[in-house]
Amino acid sequence: MITIILIITILYLLLIGSFVYGFDKVPDFKLEDITAKTKFSVIIPFRNEADHLPTLLASIAKLNYPKALFEIILVDDSSEDDSVEKINSSHLENFNISVVKNIRTTNSPKKDAITTAINTSKYDWIVTTDADCSLPKYWLDAFDNYIQNHNAKLLIAPVTLSGINSFLKRFQVLDVLSLQGVTIGGFGINKPFLCNGANLAYHKDVFNDVKGFEGNSHIASGDDIFLLEKVIKMDKNSVHYVKNKEIIVTTQPELNFKSLKSQRVRWAAKTSNYNNVFSKLTAIVVLFMNALLVSLPLLYLAQIVSLKELVYTFAIKVLIDFLLIFKSARFFDQGQFLPSYFLSCICYPFFSLYVTFVSLFTSYKWKGRAYKK
């Protein structure tokens, strides 16, 4: 038993340690005062987002980028509330903004929505975000600046949560910070495998070259990860991470445990379909480590392991995870949430195993629709 504990712990330590190392290997991108050139088609799918759209639309109104160089395409995925009315009354007449109906052809409404918008888009660079997000003032300026300075076809950019006012929300923001740390660290060790569709940009030619979402359209979510995998397979050097605070998009945490569980079950349900070997190995090592931490107290009570072995294993995970989250929190200026880390890291292994178990045996709901695994 000690050998198994040692192997899992060492593998986990090496894995997370590599992300900690990789985090600092990704250089900070400094914005330059240059003339904007890139034309963007910003795509935002939505379904029943009347509560969130005012915040998104207000942030669009504050974008610094020249209005002649971008269009906003909002894709209505059969909304049953007054989302469209909120858009029409948003006083964005000076913007090139349109609302189109989603054309459903697959089991994935969001992928259909993005494809629908791309087919009607005017410009070569596609930028995606979500309807529950808030966009920073220099969002498109940062993308344009990076594109003018680098030969890239797919750009991954940072995302974090805002509106944090409870332990459940602090738990979520720390989890997202860890995921962002892994995302950045993966690029730093030349093993990119994570991204977030709330802040993504890619050239339309790349989307067409990899045939869009073909091959994974039967999976409801994963429009971001599956596209990333396909582009990496075609041309890994064309995928870049934009590490700049001016480009950080913020989104909202889930309001209660039920909605959080549903979100994470949806995330977990798609992982078995990932094609990236490193991604699968990472998921397995993390799962085994969480399972070990949940099992150790029982093994201690059964006198199979000693208290020292339990404490050492837990301490190693806590410390290496904290180092990664600390680096991420410092980049996102969210260090104020670190005091909740210790309690969160006690809860997380149980939550992670629970979500994994549920995702294996149940369907999930997303935007009011039920999906099978």
Side-chain angles (χ1 to χ4, degrees):
M1 190 67 210
I2 302 303
T3 302
I4 294 175
I5 294 173
L6 190 61
I7 290 173
I8 294 174
T9 304
I10 291 175
L11 287 175
Y12 188 84
L13 181 62
L14 292 174
L15 177 68
I16 304 303
S18 70
F19 294 137
V20 172
Y21 169 78
F23 191 98
D24 292 327
K25 296 292 288 183
V26 178
D28 291 328
F29 175 64
K30 307 296 183 183
L31 296 186
E32 300 175 1
D33 186 13
I34 57 178
T35 302
K37 294 182 180 179
T38 313
K39 293 183 177 181
F40 297 104
S41 293
V42 179
I43 295 175
I44 310 170
F46 69 93
R47 173 175 166 82
N48 299 335
E49 294 285 0
D51 292 338
H52 294 129
L53 279 167
T55 299
L56 169 71
L57 296 168
S59 68
I60 290 174
K62 296 177 183 178
L63 289 176
N64 181 71
Y65 207 64
K67 295 181 180 64
L69 294 182
F70 72 99
E71 64 174 339
I72 305 287
I73 305 174
L74 291 136
V75 189
D76 179 18
D77 182 27
S78 302
S79 291
E80 299 165 333
D81 62 4
D82 60 343
S83 293
V84 175
E85 288 76 8
K86 289 285 180 68
I87 296 169
N88 292 334
S89 62
S90 60
H91 305 295
L92 293 174
E93 295 85 359
N94 295 329
F95 289 79
N96 184 359
I97 186 168
S98 61
V99 179
V100 301
K101 290 287 186 180
N102 190 16
I103 300 175
R104 291 293 310 279
T105 60
T106 74
N107 189 52
S108 177
K110 187 175 181 183
K111 292 170 190 167
D112 288 341
I114 294 171
T115 302
T116 298
I118 288 176
N119 289 337
T120 64
S121 61
K122 299 177 182 177
Y123 304 130
D124 288 335
W125 272 94
I126 305 299
V127 184
T128 65
T129 191
D130 294 331
D132 59 351
C133 290
S134 180
L135 312 174
K137 181 178 181 180
Y138 297 105
W139 186 47
L140 295 179
D141 302 77
F143 274 127
D144 167 71
N145 209 304
Y146 196 93
I147 290 166
Q148 290 196 48
N149 283 281
H150 298 83
N151 183 23
K153 295 298 182 181
L154 173 60
L155 299 178
I156 317 301
V159 177
T160 192
L161 302 181
S162 61
I164 310 302
N165 54 15
S166 67
F167 174 75
L168 180 65
K169 294 178 181 180
R170 291 193 297 273
F171 176 85
Q172 291 177 68
V173 77
L174 289 171
D175 187 30
V176 168
L177 287 174
S178 70
L179 289 172
Q180 288 292 305
V182 168
T183 300
I184 299 172
F187 275 88
I189 60 173
N190 201 29
K191 295 285 186 182
F193 68 101
L194 286 180
C195 63
N196 192 319
N199 203 2
L200 202 63
Y202 45 89
H203 200 279
K204 193 186 296 184
D205 286 348
V206 165
F207 183 82
N208 292 328
D209 288 344
V210 300
K211 299 181 180 180
F213 303 116
E214 183 178 310
N216 54 66
S217 56
H218 61 289
I219 306 163
S221 61
D223 54 284
D224 42 15
I225 301 292
F226 293 122
L227 182 62
L228 171 65
E229 289 187 346
K230 294 172 80 172
V231 176
I232 287 175
K233 186 176 180 179
M234 183 183 71
D235 182 9
K236 186 177 181 179
N237 293 328
S238 69
V239 181
H240 294 201
Y241 188 90
V242 186
K243 193 179 179 185
N244 183 279
K245 294 182 180 182
E246 299 289 352
I247 204 172
I248 296 173
V249 165
T250 57
T251 187
Q252 297 298 308
E254 299 298 327
L255 298 178
N256 52 59
F257 181 81
K258 182 179 179 181
S259 59
L260 175 61
K261 183 200 75 171
S262 180
Q263 180 196 61
R264 299 310 165 90
V265 167
R266 171 168 56 86
W267 290 3
K270 65 188 178 185
T271 56
S272 61
N273 294 282
Y274 288 169
N275 295 313
N276 187 302
V277 175
F278 183 74
S279 174
K280 289 186 174 182
L281 289 174
T282 298
I284 290 170
V285 171
V286 172
L287 176 62
F288 279 13
M289 190 64 189
N290 285 322
L292 177 61
L293 289 185
V294 170
S295 302
L296 278 176
L298 298 176
L299 295 174
Y300 168 68
L301 292 176
Q303 298 183 341
I304 296 174
V305 300
S306 67
L307 180 61
K308 182 173 69 173
E309 290 158 353
L310 187 158
V311 171
Y312 281 2
T313 304
F314 181 75
I316 288 171
K317 184 181 188 300
V318 168
L319 292 174
I320 194 64
D321 284 355
F322 180 79
L323 188 53
L324 180 65
I325 293 175
F326 174 79
K327 286 180 177 292
S328 191
R330 186 171 57 180
F331 170 72
F332 285 95
D333 294 326
Q334 292 186 313
Q336 68 271 29
F337 304 122
L338 290 176
S340 296
Y341 171 72
F342 186 74
L343 180 57
S344 294
C345 68
I346 292 176
C347 299
Y348 184 79
F350 296 92
F351 175 71
S352 176
L353 285 188
Y354 171 68
V355 166
T356 301
F357 181 81
V358 171
S359 71
L360 293 175
F361 300 103
T362 66
S363 58
Y364 60 90
K365 282 192 173 183
W366 189 22
K367 304 293 184 182
R369 294 174 173 139
Y371 296 92
K372 295 180 180 179
K373 183 178 179 298

